[in-house]
Amino acid sequence: MKTSDAVLRILACGSVDDGKSTLIGHLLFLTGNLAEDQLRVLYEESARLGRSGAAPDYSLLLDGLLAERQQGITIDVAHRYLATATRKYILADAPGHEQYTRNMATAASRCDAAILLLDATTGFLPQTRRHALICALFGIRQLLLVVNKMDLTGWSRERFLEISDHCRQLTEDLTLFGVCPEQPVVVPVSALAGDNLTARSPHTSWYDGPTVLDWLQSVPCADLRRDNGARLPVQYVLHAGQQWADSRQVLPELLRSSGSDVFRGYCGHLSGGSLQQGERVAILPSGVETSVQQIWSGFRLIEKAEPGQEIALTLAGEQDVVRGDCIVPAGNRPEQADRFKVRVVCLDTQALLPGRRYRFRSACGSATAEITRIRNRIGLASYQRLAADRLEMNDVGEVELQLSRQLPFDPFDRNSQTGSFVLIDQGSHASVACGMILHPLRRAANIHRHRETVAPDERALLKAQRPCVIWLTGLSASGKSSIANALERLLVDQGCHTMLLDGDNIRHGLNRDLGFTEPDRIENIRRIGEVAKLMTEAGLIVITAFISPYRSDRDMVRQMFAEGDFFEIHVATPLEVCEQRDPKGLYRLARSGVIPNFTGINSPYEEPLQAELVLAAGASQTADDAMAIVGMLRSCGKLQPATDQAVPEEGV
């Protein structure tokens, strides 16, 4: 029989100690995919490190890290190549521990089908259902449910049927949720002994289904021929200009003689459809149209590229194409939008919260993203949508995203390459979530920014001042409000037009619906930032006095303003001084447990890292602190040069 050229990517997943590594390792052994030297090492390491008695410990073939062997768990995804007489496979062994769900999700995003293992002695676990959900969300429709360790149940047919019923319920729950996998095959095995891996086991005469290998041989390949429109996100621009003379030494003759002195190829993974020479294409997001001049597959010139190929294009004319642009057929373009409903899998220990800003990266570019609403969290018990105001690590949920600019995209079920993304923390650069675009929010297309006749600069000119925001941050009772009041008095006496926004006052009106939980604090600061922005556009100098404990929230507000228009002032009064002052008795109540989430006591305060000014308010006078801010504004050109002004005593 002829071996198919298509390589099928199979994911092996499940909970901890369900036997994933052992199953793959034993499958490699039984199908003759281990070389003699690998077998020799396996026997040597099994005798030294193995946990399966006299038999080879096949998990050692997959668990290569020292920590994996010491703990007997899989931590990183291991890939192994397997070939049969008819097909080729790449098997991905994903970790089962909840802590490493991110690794499992990453592996699932690149696989065509999945083997989900269960321990026959424990049955379905929350992590098993989580893995099934993640597989379904990433478009894996072919699922094999392997009930492992059947030998420990005495090859109990009743136990197998009981677990099979749960498997059918799992499929129904996924279907009700909205993702419809094919009816999964359930097979009883012993990965350690090899029963029902490649041949029928004499212990399961009551089972007439396929073996694991039978299922692998019958899984259909993904239908890459379905034409949803070709998409080539540019991953790299291959440029041979000044180095062309040197490149001539290594590039083949065909490539050297392919064009002018400058070769510029746009490289990437083609998905969704085919492209051919001469075809009219558009470059997104600019929308510039041109035509395909050449298509390269390696050093081979081809006339037509098929989905799944890694290619390099050259385009007619001189084009401005950079990494992150997307080349598509001119007559079949993806949508562009800046607001989406998406599904996300949380990967980081920090919670995903509305109002927080992240870096959005997809195959078609990057932008700043804000979660405007968390619609739900998906419960694992029955895949129901549950109300939520945050998503914790390993949670799966649906949220609404707002981007800073429009990006081309396809819904994930139409094209997984241009419909997926990751969210990255802008401070730590950690990947906090991966996600799938469900659809754009249509109201985004119906909202247009109205062009105002009077510009902010004209309003500021009438007031003869340069508007800005002075953002005072610090612990409760640190002196923010006193300094803000003294500062406003100084500015007004100098003829400035100002507005003071105080934390307590704002919560009596605009933000009275918000509490002091982390999501509410974020929304509180977001609203203040938006109000302050409107006021600066009216030409005012805005002074704010808010604890604003989270660094990311203050950075979020800073990004609303042009550089040089936002001044972060840290009122750095020590906690013990604030507690001694305690004018409202709040610290005493917080210490006694009456007030939860009180900053500095049972909720964190993140000090600014790059504040424009730091005031040691506990050791200085309020009037001096206000004058220090005025001096800073003058040095930045926001105020006129100094004149002899007496500091008013009243109100300081």
Side-chain angles (χ1 to χ4, degrees):
M1 288 186 288
K2 182 181 177 182
T3 302
S4 169
D5 291 335
V7 178
L8 200 65
R9 289 180 173 271
I10 305 290
L11 175 73
C13 56
S15 193
V16 175
D17 209 25
D18 281 351
K20 301 174 291 297
S21 302
T22 301
L23 182 139
I24 294 178
H26 207 156
L27 200 60
L28 291 170
F29 173 78
L30 294 175
T31 53
N33 278 277
L34 294 178
E36 288 186 10
D37 58 333
Q38 291 174 310
L39 281 172
R40 185 177 64 254
V41 172
L42 171 64
Y43 290 131
E44 291 173 355
E45 293 191 340
S46 295
R48 188 163 50 91
L49 304 170
R51 296 177 296 134
S52 56
D57 185 348
Y58 296 104
S59 68
L60 296 175
L61 291 167
L62 281 296
D63 295 337
L65 298 177
L66 178 60
E68 292 178 323
R69 295 186 171 192
Q70 288 176 340
Q71 300 179 60
I73 64 172
T74 301
I75 295 175
D76 200 4
V77 179
H79 294 86
R80 289 293 183 272
Y81 180 80
L82 183 147
T84 67
T86 57
R87 302 188 78 167
K88 300 173 185 174
Y89 307 88
I90 293 176
L91 303 176
D93 180 23
H97 196 285
E98 191 173 343
Q99 180 182 350
Y100 305 111
T101 300
R102 68 180 74 184
N103 299 357
M104 178 270 166
T106 303
S109 67
R110 296 178 55 82
C111 286
D112 307 298
I115 300 174
L116 179 60
L117 277 86
L118 304 92
D119 186 331
T121 61
T122 57
F124 269 84
L125 299 175
Q127 187 70 343
T128 314
R129 294 185 65 87
R130 179 180 283 111
H131 281 193
L133 176 62
I134 292 174
C135 286
L137 293 180
F138 277 110
I140 295 177
R141 296 292 178 263
Q142 303 293 334
L143 200 62
L144 176 68
L145 286 161
V146 173
V147 184
N148 191 21
K149 304 183 184 180
M150 283 296 297
D151 50 325
L152 298 182
T153 69
W155 298 99
S156 169
R157 178 174 181 270
E158 290 72 23
R159 180 59 176 161
F160 176 73
L161 293 178
E162 180 187 350
I163 294 176
S164 297
D165 288 340
H166 286 295
C167 293
R168 277 187 285 275
Q169 185 61 49
L170 172 78
T171 309
E172 292 175 10
D173 290 343
L174 288 172
T175 303
L176 288 174
F177 175 73
V179 290
C180 305
E182 300 289 334
Q183 187 62 41
V185 175
V186 187
V187 54
V189 308
S190 169
L192 186 63
D195 293 83
N196 285 331
L197 294 188
T198 58
R200 290 291 183 86
S201 168
H203 303 294
T204 55
S205 55
W206 39 265
Y207 173 72
D208 59 357
T211 64
V212 173
L213 184 61
D214 291 338
W215 180 82
L216 286 173
Q217 299 283 59
S218 64
V219 173
C221 290
D223 186 9
L224 297 176
R225 295 169 299 179
R226 187 177 60 168
D227 191 354
N228 286 328
R231 306 287 185 255
L232 183 72
V234 176
Q235 298 172 335
Y236 185 73
V237 178
L238 184 60
H239 178 222
Q242 298 298 324
Q243 298 80 22
W244 183 242
D246 296 333
S247 301
R248 286 172 184 273
Q249 306 302 317
V250 296
L251 296 179
E253 179 62 31
L254 182 61
L255 187 56
R256 291 203 300 267
S257 60
S258 62
S260 64
D261 289 340
V262 176
F263 177 87
R264 190 173 287 111
Y266 307 108
C267 311
H269 177 84
L270 185 66
S271 64
S274 58
L275 280 177
Q276 56 188 355
Q277 284 188 28
E279 185 171 345
R280 292 291 295 175
V281 293
I283 304 165
L284 299 179
S286 68
V288 172
E289 290 193 21
T290 180
S291 59
V292 177
Q293 190 176 53
Q294 296 172 327
I295 304 176
W296 292 90
S297 176
F299 289 125
R300 188 164 55 92
L301 194 60
I302 59 177
E303 293 186 357
K304 184 177 182 180
E306 298 294 343
Q309 278 189 284
E310 313 293 336
I311 60 173
L313 296 183
T314 63
L315 302 175
E318 293 294 329
Q319 307 299 336
D320 182 10
V321 183
V322 298
R323 183 181 180 186
D325 286 352
C326 191
I327 300 173
V328 303
N332 190 350
R333 306 184 186 197
E335 290 185 72
Q336 297 196 58
D338 58 5
R339 294 196 67 177
F340 306 98
K341 179 183 176 183
V342 303
R343 286 195 184 119
V344 294
V345 180
C346 292
L347 308 176
D348 198 51
T349 51
Q350 63 170 302
L352 210 62
L353 295 166
R356 283 272 165 85
R357 296 196 172 189
Y358 303 94
R359 196 67 188 164
F360 174 98
R361 284 188 182 166
S362 74
C364 296
S366 63
T368 301
E370 177 184 335
I371 295 176
T372 56
R373 179 186 175 192
I374 292 181
R375 296 175 70 106
N376 55 62
R377 178 178 65 83
I378 300 169
L380 295 179
S382 57
Y383 299 138
Q384 289 182 324
R385 291 173 171 84
L386 308 174
D389 61 0
R390 65 170 64 198
L391 295 176
E392 303 285 354
M393 183 176 181
N394 296 330
D395 277 350
V396 180
E398 295 176 336
V399 305
E400 294 180 6
L401 275 185
Q402 168 80 60
L403 305 187
S404 58
R405 66 184 180 101
Q406 289 197 336
L407 288 177
F409 76 98
D410 291 292
F412 184 82
D413 59 1
R414 181 180 171 87
N415 188 313
S416 61
Q417 186 181 16
T418 53
S420 57
F421 64 89
V422 293
L423 294 179
I424 298 170
D425 184 272
Q426 300 189 87
S428 66
H429 304 293
S431 297
V432 296
C434 61
M436 298 128 266
I437 297 175
L438 299 179
H439 58 74
L441 294 172
R442 294 300 172 192
R443 57 180 177 270
N446 300 326
I447 299 174
H448 305 281
R449 184 170 287 279
H450 179 70
R451 185 171 182 178
E452 298 164 338
T453 305
V454 178
D457 289 347
E458 292 181 76
R459 300 189 192 105
L461 190 61
L462 280 175
K463 295 178 174 61
Q465 66 183 27
R466 296 180 62 185
C468 63
V469 172
I470 301 153
W471 190 278
L472 295 165
T473 175
L475 295 170
S476 178
S478 60
K480 301 182 297 301
S481 295
S482 298
I483 296 171
N485 275 294
L487 175 63
E488 185 173 33
R489 173 51 58 191
L490 279 174
L491 294 176
V492 170
D493 288 347
Q494 294 181 35
C496 296
H497 298 258
T498 64
M499 184 63 201
L500 171 59
L501 302 176
D502 184 81
D504 285 351
N505 295 345
I506 290 292
R507 283 187 177 273
H508 279 96
L510 176 66
N511 291 349
R512 64 183 175 187
D513 59 322
L514 300 177
F516 292 89
T517 62
E518 192 173 353
D520 281 357
R521 285 178 184 271
I522 294 171
E523 176 62 12
N524 180 49
I525 297 305
R526 189 193 69 80
R527 291 184 194 178
I528 299 304
E530 293 290 349
V531 170
K533 187 169 188 296
L534 290 173
M535 289 183 170
T536 57
E537 290 176 354
L540 299 175
I541 295 175
V542 182
I543 306 165
T544 73
F546 296 90
I547 297 174
S548 48
Y550 300 115
R551 199 174 294 131
S552 58
D553 300 341
R554 298 191 297 267
D555 291 342
M556 171 186 69
V557 178
R558 181 187 289 271
Q559 291 174 9
M560 296 180 185
F561 298 89
E563 186 174 354
D565 288 347
F566 181 88
F567 296 90
E568 187 176 14
I569 314 297
H570 182 202
V571 184
T573 308
L575 176 61
E576 53 273 21
V577 176
C578 296
E579 282 201 75
Q580 290 171 3
R581 291 175 176 173
D582 201 13
K584 303 171 187 175
L586 300 178
Y587 281 99
R588 179 175 53 80
L589 294 174
R591 289 290 186 190
S592 63
V594 175
I595 302 179
N597 303 318
F598 192 82
T599 303
I601 304 300
N602 41 28
S603 185
Y605 176 80
E606 298 173 355
E607 293 186 355
L609 297 179
Q610 295 179 325
E612 274 73 13
L613 187 64
V614 177
L615 301 174
S620 59
Q621 298 297 317
T622 301
D624 296 335
D625 293 330
M627 283 302 298
I629 298 174
V630 170
M632 178 200 67
L633 294 174
R634 283 178 179 149
S635 66
C636 297
K638 292 293 181 183
L639 295 179
Q640 297 296 322
T643 58
D644 293 336
Q645 292 283 340
V647 179
E649 294 295 331
E650 186 176 356
V652 174

